[in-house]
Amino acid sequence: MASGEVLCQKLNRDNCYLKKFKLYETPSNFYMIGRDKSRTHWRVLKIDRLEPTELTIFEDSTTYSEHDCHDLLRRLHEGNKAVGGLKLIAICYGIIGFVRFLGPYYMLVITKRRKLGTICGHTIYGISKSKMIPVPNSTVRSNLPYSKDENRYKKLLSTVDLTKDFYYSYSYNVMHSLQRNLNDCKAGQFLYESMFVWNEYLTRGIRNNLNNTLWTVALVYGFFKQVELSISDRIFKLILIARRSRHYAGTRYLKRGVNEKGRVANDVETEQIVIANATEDCPTQISSVVQIRGSIPLFWSQETSRINIKPDIILYKKDVNYEATRLHFENLAKRYGNPIIILNLIKTRETKPRETILRAEFADAVRHINTSLPRENRLMFFQWDLHRHSKSKATNVLRQLANMSAYALSLTGIFYCQVAPNSRPLESPDIEINKTDNFSSENLSIRNESADNVEIELCNTRCPGDSNRSHNVKPLLNQKGVLRTNCIDCLDRTNVAQYVYGLVCLGTQLFTLGFTESPKINLGEPLADELMTIYEIMGDTLAFQYGGSAAHNKIFSERRGQWKPAAQSQELIRTLQRYCNNAYFDRDKQDAINVFLGHFQPQQGKPALWELGSDQHYNVGKRDSNFPNENVRVSMKRSLSAGSIPSDTPEADPILGCNQPLSEIVAAANDGISESTPLIPTNEDSIAACRYIPSVIQKQFFKFMHDGQLLGRDPISCDEDDECNFSNFMDADWLSSSGNSCEGDINERSLGSLSIENVVNGLNIDMNEPARKSSGMSTVKENEQAKPDLDELLEKFGSWVSDGGSLFH
């Protein structure tokens, strides 16, 4: 085993990881000093500045004390006095990576961070400022041949704004779900192989060179939000996380469908975590649920157009056996287990066929794949035209989605564990002694530690099978399988469906944690509105990343009682904003993503990125894959923009988090959500006695949830427009009382064997809320009558947007 890897494991065993760094320079070298949060381990990294186009890094194997490290810096300063001494150029919080275009290497570092939240005492950070620093000194760079393309590539990379929607943690594997972290002890370089680590390529060179990850941070791109909510005067913590895949990543019209490896566009994993803090009589309880979204896994595209706001959908019939589609669902089964439940929200009827083309092909693909799968592992396909049903009252739409969500949840279940109250306070506040020398540490202000900074001992350093491992984490339930939701863009309609599923899950999570007597949540309760706001924020964030505008939230606006003309005007503005970004700016954004991720690597004598006619040709610029130490660039939506201005005076951050990486948590369970291995079902443990946990009712409830004799394993219903005898298919549009409306009360219709009351007793959300008085609702009707011309105009515009056509005549 390499010395660097051994050292990394040793630091982890000692509850250490480097989380604060200082970068010094001499004309010949950079010296980066890193320390752990307890200030007991200090390390030194040296980067050669005399090589013009090569990256040479040396890591000192010695672990220094603070005094010894200061003495080393003093001696380096004395030895370089003739050339200016040792100069501090940046205080940073981790290396993002190294990148080279046509000239020298550049080092990307975090210079300012902000706290986003904590997961069991492990702090999650966002980036406030970053900096790109040329590695060779100015004299060496001046001898390099000038290239105008070099500056253009630098500007292109700077459009990737790292200060927005990127997050990381030093001690928690935020690229993995909570369930996987509690069932998997893998750490180190393995973590960077995750599909959700966006700087995998940028860090590849230094990681392969040093054989460890002490100096780098793994960046996840998507969404992170933590809030405190309450129900029945009891407070709990809710965390909503979205992780965007780096595979087949890009913008709306430039990345559609699936590629040959089974990777889909706009692939996002969403995790909802609920944490109830420990009390005297009950340990900390944690629950999480994972759902995913992703583009329809077929070969299809839409050509960006400046005259057509809704380009035609082009379906390619080159994969007659649906091998790429099969690879996609095999990957899902390996990561999440079975069943894989597909909720397809695209249109079922159109005047001009667009979405319906994909709908029929997607159904054929699923049927074809299911013929080769065992009955218990067949894909479950739900088709429901949300656009058609959304023309009725939003409450009816949410009610029907809730019924389907409850059924899906009954098949997959949730993750639930208890953590014994084995906690300890963090180390003393982060204080540094002021020195007079230029190379010494600066003062950092002392921050008061809050109650959240009590570290919960979720992790230990031994892997499963170690006789000395800790048993303070008790997973009692595991999620098996996943709900996959899609529309065309996987933005607007998908976000509504994911909110409803999240609400159904929240009811079950609170019931499991003992907060409620029933898993029902009334849609009119404040908790439902608060959750809707969080999902709406997440939806807007993901929509900006992929589509260029906030999400269309017609159903949410209607639910809040927003004035209809105002909501329609907002939708119109967002449609135009999305159109402008897609038509005029997405190409540059896609180029930046390809550079940041390493999909395109500039080379002398090869065409520049902007000279290529299509994003599909990015392989032209790839370098030899046999150069493991060479970092290449990828483009992304954000990297170093306004937040990249260097700061000479660092700000003190509260040093929070847990001493041990959560990747090393050992759980008494055999299965978990994984990106590489299938789940292995385990026997269900009874829930530990606790005054806050219903015992008999809850055991019976989850016994039924995980019963193998669920209706999802049996034939459901055939797609209404196709003749078939395959099981696991259902067109949920039949839930409506007519072909064009869903105004009727769904509870008055017979759902047959799919009735949620028959599937999961008490699981579904209570949508039958009492009528609420609202002056705003009467105002809507009055204004609708007062302004018929505006409504007519907006309706015509909406039809034009839906049906396509030329923007200009």
Side-chain angles (χ1 to χ4, degrees):
M1 183 179 295
S3 60
E5 195 173 33
V6 172
L7 177 62
C8 186
Q9 292 183 1
K10 177 182 183 299
L11 288 178
N12 286 335
R13 284 197 299 270
D14 291 338
N15 300 330
C16 299
Y17 44 85
L18 306 182
K19 65 180 301 182
K20 188 167 184 180
F21 310 84
K22 292 189 176 182
L23 185 64
Y24 301 87
E25 69 170 358
T26 67
S28 57
N29 292 292
F30 280 124
Y31 294 93
M32 179 169 279
I33 310 299
R35 66 163 177 83
D36 69 322
K37 65 178 182 179
S38 63
R39 305 174 62 86
T40 57
H41 294 83
W42 298 70
R43 301 298 311 282
V44 179
L45 187 72
K46 184 172 74 172
I47 304 171
D48 190 348
R49 303 189 66 200
L50 299 180
E51 286 288 345
T53 58
E54 298 296 329
L55 183 62
T56 304
I57 303 176
F58 172 76
E59 183 182 36
D60 190 342
S61 60
T62 304
T63 300
Y64 294 92
S65 66
E66 183 174 6
H67 179 271
D68 291 340
C69 188
H70 179 73
D71 184 63
L72 173 65
L73 291 175
R74 182 186 57 78
R75 287 186 281 113
L76 286 172
H77 178 66
E78 293 293 332
N80 287 276
K81 271 189 174 181
V83 290
L86 191 66
K87 298 178 181 178
L88 175 66
I89 62 171
I91 292 180
C92 45
Y93 300 94
I95 296 176
I96 297 169
F98 291 85
V99 62
R100 185 170 78 88
F101 308 115
L102 300 172
Y105 269 94
Y106 301 89
M107 178 168 55
L108 284 67
V109 296
I110 300 170
T111 57
K112 187 177 180 181
R113 67 188 178 188
R114 63 185 183 276
K115 178 182 174 182
L116 300 179
T118 60
I119 300 178
C120 298
H122 300 263
T123 306
I124 312 299
Y125 294 99
I127 300 174
S128 297
K129 285 185 180 180
S130 58
K131 189 174 183 180
M132 180 158 46
I133 304 171
V135 173
N137 62 46
S138 57
T139 302
V140 174
R141 296 199 307 271
S142 65
N143 295 326
L144 292 172
Y146 172 78
S147 172
K148 62 178 182 180
D149 289 346
E150 180 78 9
N151 287 332
R152 186 165 179 178
Y153 280 118
K154 288 174 62 178
K155 290 180 180 179
L156 184 65
L157 185 63
S158 70
T159 63
V160 182
D161 189 357
L162 290 173
T163 65
K164 294 182 180 179
D165 309 330
F166 284 92
Y167 52 92
Y168 69 95
S169 176
Y170 300 101
S171 57
Y172 180 81
N173 300 330
V174 73
M175 73 289 295
H176 295 161
S177 67
L178 180 66
Q179 177 171 328
R180 184 176 181 185
N181 279 326
L182 287 167
N183 288 287
D184 194 341
C185 70
K186 293 182 179 179
Q189 299 220 43
F190 170 80
L191 300 176
Y192 285 77
E193 298 173 6
S194 167
M195 61 190 291
F196 302 118
V197 176
W198 275 65
N199 61 333
E200 183 276 335
Y201 185 79
L202 294 178
T203 59
R204 191 182 302 170
I206 183 174
R207 289 186 290 108
N208 290 342
N209 190 304
L210 304 180
N211 246 339
N212 66 53
T213 59
L214 289 175
W215 305 90
T216 59
V217 296
L219 296 183
V220 181
Y221 186 47
F223 178 82
F224 185 95
K225 183 72 173 180
Q226 176 179 306
V227 296
E228 281 193 349
L229 302 175
S230 64
I231 186 169
S232 303
D233 296 325
R234 293 186 60 189
I235 297 175
F236 62 92
K237 183 185 297 182
L238 184 137
I239 302 171
L240 189 63
I241 304 173
R243 306 175 180 96
R244 181 176 294 279
S245 171
R246 62 182 165 87
H247 300 308
Y248 206 49
T251 57
R252 185 185 180 205
Y253 286 145
L254 298 176
K255 292 295 181 183
R256 291 295 217 190
V258 70
N259 65 11
E260 289 78 4
K261 295 182 179 180
R263 308 293 189 179
V264 296
N266 200 18
D267 190 353
V268 181
E269 176 185 271
T270 300
E271 181 179 19
Q272 179 175 292
I273 301 175
V274 176
I275 301 176
N277 291 331
T279 63
E280 292 182 1
D281 301 315
C282 186
T284 297
Q285 301 179 84
I286 311 172
S287 173
S288 75
V289 174
V290 170
Q291 57 178 319
I292 60 174
R293 68 174 75 188
S295 189
I296 296 174
L298 302 170
F299 288 101
W300 62 282
S301 68
Q302 283 179 285
E303 295 297 328
T304 305
S305 173
R306 296 186 179 182
I307 62 172
N308 191 346
I309 200 168
K310 282 275 186 160
D312 291 338
I313 291 175
I314 303 172
L315 176 64
Y316 303 96
K317 296 278 190 176
K318 64 178 183 179
D319 189 11
V320 293
N321 292 321
Y322 305 108
E323 290 302 323
T325 309
R326 183 190 304 275
L327 285 174
H328 173 68
F329 286 113
E330 286 177 353
N331 179 261
L332 293 186
K334 288 179 181 179
R335 287 159 52 193
Y336 304 106
N338 289 303
I340 304 299
I341 307 165
I342 305 163
L343 178 56
N344 186 27
L345 302 174
I346 64 177
K347 298 177 183 177
T348 55
R349 297 184 181 94
E350 292 176 297
T351 304
K352 178 183 178 181
R354 295 180 66 259
E355 297 186 12
T356 50
I357 299 173
L358 296 179
R359 171 190 171 276
E361 189 73 7
F362 194 11
D364 288 343
V366 173
R367 291 191 188 93
H368 181 82
I369 293 170
N370 275 346
T371 58
S372 61
L373 293 177
R375 184 179 183 86
E376 64 274 11
N377 293 337
R378 287 178 182 172
L379 306 174
M380 305 186 65
F381 189 90
F382 290 78
Q383 168 64 46
W384 194 66
D385 187 345
L386 189 147
H387 181 269
R388 177 157 59 91
H389 291 294
S390 65
K391 295 179 181 179
S392 65
K393 293 181 180 179
T395 302
N396 288 334
V397 172
L398 299 181
R399 180 187 301 123
Q400 293 178 65
L401 284 172
N403 287 335
M404 288 182 282
S405 297
Y407 178 67
L409 182 60
S410 72
L411 301 179
T412 65
I414 65 173
F415 173 75
Y416 168 67
C417 72
Q418 295 179 351
V419 183
N422 178 23
S423 60
R424 64 169 181 256
L426 295 177
E427 77 281 356
S428 58
D430 194 16
I431 310 172
E432 298 206 2
I433 303 172
N434 186 29
K435 306 289 183 181
T436 58
D437 294 326
N438 184 27
F439 52 85
S440 66
S441 304
E442 273 73 27
N443 278 327
L444 291 180
S445 60
I446 301 175
R447 303 292 181 91
N448 293 327
E449 301 289 343
S450 66
D452 284 341
N453 299 338
V454 175
E455 162 191 299
I456 296 178
E457 289 271 357
L458 286 181
C459 41
N460 66 65
T461 58
R462 296 178 175 86
C463 296
D466 193 319
S467 60
N468 295 323
R469 84 182 208 189
S470 171
H471 294 276
N472 56 329
V473 179
K474 300 178 181 179
L476 302 177
L477 295 171
N478 281 289
Q479 178 179 340
K480 303 179 181 70
V482 72
L483 173 64
R484 183 196 194 276
T485 306
N486 72 266
C487 50
I488 287 296
D489 296 323
C490 300
L491 297 177
D492 313 318
R493 288 169 284 183
T494 295
N495 202 60
V496 173
Q498 288 206 330
Y499 155 67
V500 175
Y501 186 71
L503 187 58
V504 172
C505 293
L506 181 60
T508 302
Q509 289 175 294
L510 293 176
F511 175 73
T512 307
L513 269 59
F515 275 65
T516 60
E517 298 297 327
S518 167
K520 298 179 181 179
I521 296 181
N522 192 310
L523 190 62
E525 292 182 20
L527 186 60
D529 291 335
E530 291 170 331
L531 187 68
M532 183 177 71
T533 299
I534 299 171
Y535 270 86
E536 188 172 4
I537 296 172
M538 181 188 74
D540 288 343
T541 300
L542 297 179
F544 267 114
Q545 294 168 5
Y546 181 66
S549 77
H552 293 288
N553 295 317
K554 174 186 174 183
I555 294 177
F556 292 156
S557 299
E558 186 177 329
R559 178 65 204 160
R560 285 192 298 265
Q562 186 175 352
W563 186 45
K564 186 176 180 180
Q568 290 175 327
S569 299
Q570 175 179 278
E571 296 302 295
L572 186 153
I573 293 172
R574 291 182 176 181
T575 297
L576 293 177
Q577 182 183 13
R578 188 173 293 183
Y579 158 75
C580 291
N581 277 290
N582 297 160
Y584 295 95
F585 304 111
D586 275 3
R587 173 61 63 183
D588 290 340
K589 184 187 289 188
Q590 184 68 58
D591 287 346
I593 292 174
N594 289 338
V595 170
F596 187 90
L597 293 175
H599 296 332
F600 180 87
Q601 303 164 31
Q603 298 181 56
Q604 293 286 359
K606 297 288 186 179
L609 179 58
W610 43 87
E611 294 174 355
L612 300 177
S614 169
D615 175 63
Q616 302 302 324
H617 298 149
Y618 64 80
N619 285 323
V620 172
K622 281 215 171 182
R623 293 182 180 167
D624 191 344
S625 59
N626 294 324
F627 296 158
N629 292 336
E630 186 163 343
N631 287 318
V632 192
R633 31 341 265 149
V634 180
S635 111
M636 193 165 126
K637 310 188 172 181
R638 304 163 176 167
S639 170
L640 310 165
S641 64
S644 303
I645 301 174
S647 174
D648 294 329
T649 55
E651 292 191 16
D653 290 284
I655 306 300
L656 308 173
C658 164
N659 280 335
Q660 291 175 300
L662 196 55
S663 62
E664 299 186 354
I665 293 173
V666 177
N670 295 325
D671 61 325
I673 295 180
S674 170
E675 290 178 10
S676 58
T677 56
L679 301 178
I680 303 174
T682 58
N683 293 329
E684 186 174 314
D685 297 318
S686 59
I687 298 178
C690 172
R691 68 175 183 177
Y692 292 125
I693 302 181
S695 54
V696 178
I697 296 177
Q698 185 166 321
K699 291 177 183 178
Q700 293 175 346
F701 173 74
F702 281 102
K703 180 180 184 301
F704 186 74
M705 275 187 62
H706 294 281
D707 195 335
Q709 305 300 321
L710 291 169
L711 295 178
R713 308 300 187 193
D714 299 325
I716 300 178
S717 173
C718 182
D719 197 308
E720 64 176 359
D721 295 332
D722 301 284
E723 296 180 0
C724 65
N725 295 317
F726 290 95
S727 64
N728 295 9
F729 269 80
M730 184 183 81
D731 192 321
D733 288 342
W734 66 274
L735 292 174
S736 174
S737 59
S738 67
N740 301 311
S741 172
C742 59
E743 293 288 333
D745 187 355
I746 191 172
N747 291 331
E748 297 176 1
R749 304 178 196 137
S750 174
L751 299 183
S753 62
L754 268 182
S755 171
I756 302 305
E757 289 75 17
N758 295 332
V759 176
V760 185
N761 184 22
L763 177 62
N764 62 303
I765 297 178
D766 185 2
M767 295 295 190
N768 298 319
E769 55 179 322
R772 292 182 293 177
K773 295 182 179 180
S774 173
S775 58
M777 295 304 292
S778 60
T779 305
V780 171
K781 295 182 179 180
E782 292 172 2
N783 282 279
E784 287 175 358
Q785 297 175 357
K787 299 185 179 182
D789 293 338
L790 176 60
D791 285 351
E792 183 179 358
L793 175 63
L794 293 173
E795 184 176 354
K796 288 181 178 179
F797 178 82
S799 300
W800 168 62
V801 170
S802 300
D803 298 334
S806 297
L807 182 61
F808 305 108
H809 298 281

